[in-house]
């Protein structure tokens, strides 16, 4: 345990506060839990490393860090983070995260998962989390395949992908994550790549700073069941990594061509670009969160009930049911 900090009482600090224990620095060692069980070379390692770095950089209060996930290789994430965490039901992490975020708005709710978890079984929940604009940071490791269950077609698998469920090649139109999230109403939507650690960290920090339902799609290679799929997007493998140039609002002719992140239609246009597409923030808006709207409603009710406690309100509700 850390030592006690004594603040100068003459500076106006009450004696009780003056005795608060000082915080230990949040280090990688403190945030690291189990050794990751992913295959050597899996893109998800870089995501975990970037997340550790962001936590260290931002020095969040350790006890306020919550990591949640559904099921999948990528969804094993909470095991590897020393904080509050739940490895939950396949596709149901958004509703779980919603409850935690609404009940405890003081916590930092981070959600992790895969393309199957988020766009297949959990696709409907993602839409509702987005339209309700519930405050959380959702990181989707998209490898275009079901990794954990050993190579089935996922909702983002490209047409022609041969898997155990499509031995002759996938025939269904894949989900376009950016379009789905824009249409769903997410208020922060970004795209990054697991080989681009600096960019990935920047996107995590911006998503974290955003109030509302923030989602990052990260291309993260499954070296076991869909190797080399992201080559065209990986400069280290001779491909391209084109970053969205955002408007600077500096009244220059160049700025005309830059992307306005508040423009939904412009975000759609970027989402239409062929694979590997572009990377960065597609869309951001400051629509009120459900957390803020609900707080207003709770505060009004509390005022009407003369500041009754939660227990008293619950008792009154039960009394009405009699
Ligand atoms: C209700 C339910 N249906 C199906 C499964 C089987 N299952 C586990 S993980 C998974 C897909 C995971 O794919 P993805 O979310 O893309 O994660 P990845 O392993 O690729 O990181 C499936 C179908 C399950 N665990 N629970
Ligand atoms: S199966 Fe694929 S996604 Fe799962 S750990 Fe291995 S490389 Fe990563
Ligand atoms: Mg997957």
């Amino acid at each position: 345990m850390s030592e006690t900090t004594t603040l100068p009482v003459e500076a106006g600090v009450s004696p009780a506060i003056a005795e608060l224990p000082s915080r230990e620095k949040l280090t990688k060692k403190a945030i690291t839990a189990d050794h990751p069980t992913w295959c050597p070379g899996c893109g998800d390692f870089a995501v975990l490393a970037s997340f550790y770095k962001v936590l260290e950089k931002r020095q969040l209060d350790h006890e306020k860090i919550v990591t949640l996930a559904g099921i999948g290789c990528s969804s094993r994430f909470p095991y590897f983070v020393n904080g509050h965490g739940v490895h939950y039901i396949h596709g149901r992490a958004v509703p779980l995260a919603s409850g935690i975020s609404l009940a405890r708005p003081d916590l930092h709710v981070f959600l992790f998962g895969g393309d199957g978890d988020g766009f297949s079984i959990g696709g409907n929940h993602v839409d509702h989390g987005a339209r309700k604009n519930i405050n959380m940071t959702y990181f989707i490791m998209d490898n275009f395949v079901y990794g954990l269950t050993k190579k089935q077609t996922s909702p983002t698998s490209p047409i022609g992908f041969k898997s155990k469920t499509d031995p002759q090649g996938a025939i269904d139109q894949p989900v376009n994550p950016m379009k789905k999230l824009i249409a769903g109403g997410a208020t922060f939507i970004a795209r990054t790549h697991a080989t681009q650690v600096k960019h990935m960290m920047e996107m995590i920090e911006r998503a974290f700073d955003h109030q509302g339902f923030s989602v990052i799609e990260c291309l993260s290679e499954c070296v076991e069941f869909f190797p080399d799929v992201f080559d065209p997007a990986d400069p280290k493998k001779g491909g391209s990594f084109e970053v969205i140039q955002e408007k600077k609002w500096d009244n220059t002719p160049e700025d005309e061509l830059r992307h306005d992140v508040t423009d939904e239609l412009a975000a759609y246009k970027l989402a239409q670009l062929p694979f590997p597409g572009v990377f960065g923030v597609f869309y951001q808006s400051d629509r009120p969160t459900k957390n803020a709207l609900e707080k207003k409603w709770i505060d009004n009710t509390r005022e009407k009930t003369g500041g009754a406690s939660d227990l008293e309100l619950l008792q009154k509700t039960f009394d009405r049911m009699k």
Side-chain angles (χ1 to χ4, degrees), residues 3-294:
E3 287 169 15
T4 302
T5 310
T6 308
L7 299 171
V9 176
E10 65 275 17
V13 181
S14 83
I17 294 174
E19 287 290 306
L20 278 179
S22 64
R23 278 194 175 273
E24 277 168 16
K25 200 168 178 279
L26 190 66
T27 57
K28 186 181 167 202
K29 196 173 165 215
I31 324 158
T32 308
D34 266 5
H35 182 71
T37 46
W38 295 310
C39 310
C42 176
D44 297 353
F45 279 104
V47 179
L48 183 66
S50 304
F51 183 63
Y52 287 154
K53 277 190 183 161
V54 169
L55 293 185
E56 252 189 304
K57 181 175 170 200
R58 302 299 283 260
Q59 286 296 304
L60 304 186
D61 291 349
H62 200 163
E63 73 281 6
K64 292 194 174 167
I65 298 167
V66 184
T67 55
L68 307 164
I71 303 288
C73 291
S74 39
S75 292
R76 296 185 65 79
F77 218 93
Y79 287 127
F80 314 137
V81 181
N82 184 14
H84 300 294
V86 184
H87 185 206
Y88 197 49
I89 307 167
H90 192 28
R92 269 48 167 194
V94 170
L96 173 73
S98 301
I100 294 171
S101 170
L102 292 170
R104 287 289 306 270
D106 58 314
L107 300 180
H108 306 301
V109 180
F110 295 99
L111 177 55
F112 295 92
D115 39 315
D117 195 76
F119 301 132
S120 200
I121 194 167
N124 175 47
H125 293 303
V126 171
D127 285 345
H128 292 289
R131 81 180 168 86
K132 293 177 186 186
N133 198 24
I134 300 169
N135 195 34
M136 68 183 77
T137 310
Y138 183 15
F139 197 101
I140 300 175
M141 283 150 268
D142 192 356
N143 52 13
F144 295 8
V145 66
Y146 291 176
L148 187 77
T149 44
K150 303 188 174 182
K151 201 176 186 178
Q152 291 82 22
T153 300
S154 98
T156 52
S157 300
I159 291 175
F161 173 59
K162 287 191 179 151
S163 71
K164 286 182 184 139
T165 41
D166 275 308
Q168 299 190 50
I171 51 171
D172 299 320
Q173 166 86 13
V175 164
N176 179 318
M178 296 294 103
K179 280 201 213 166
K180 176 178 165 65
L181 293 163
I182 299 163
T187 53
F188 180 94
I189 305 166
R191 198 161 175 259
T192 190
H193 197 293
T195 60
Q196 306 294 325
V197 172
K198 233 177 109 191
H199 188 263
M200 199 171 11
M201 282 179 66
E202 187 196 328
M203 292 302 111
I204 299 173
E205 286 198 80
R206 284 181 65 178
F208 171 69
D209 287 336
H210 176 78
Q211 283 296 307
F213 194 79
S214 357
V215 193
I216 303 165
E217 181 215 6
C218 175
L219 301 186
S220 177
E221 186 177 330
C222 172
V223 290
E224 192 66 28
F225 299 116
F226 206 167
D228 291 338
V229 57
F230 301 132
D231 274 11
D234 180 358
K236 287 180 195 155
K237 291 182 181 172
S240 71
F241 180 75
E242 191 185 333
V243 175
I244 296 168
Q245 298 302 318
E246 288 175 41
K247 275 201 189 298
K248 296 181 179 163
W249 306 107
D250 57 5
N251 275 327
T252 58
E254 307 89 84
D255 212 39
E256 295 279 314
L257 300 170
R258 295 190 187 120
H259 177 57
D260 174 2
V261 293
T262 66
D263 184 339
E264 211 174 295
L265 285 178
Y268 257 101
K269 279 193 185 151
L270 290 182
Q272 303 270 30
L273 293 170
F275 183 81
V278 285
F279 299 85
V281 178
F282 278 61
Y283 182 69
Q284 184 164 19
S285 85
D286 59 3
R287 188 157 54 81
T289 61
K290 186 174 173 78
N291 307 61
L293 296 171
E294 232 181 48

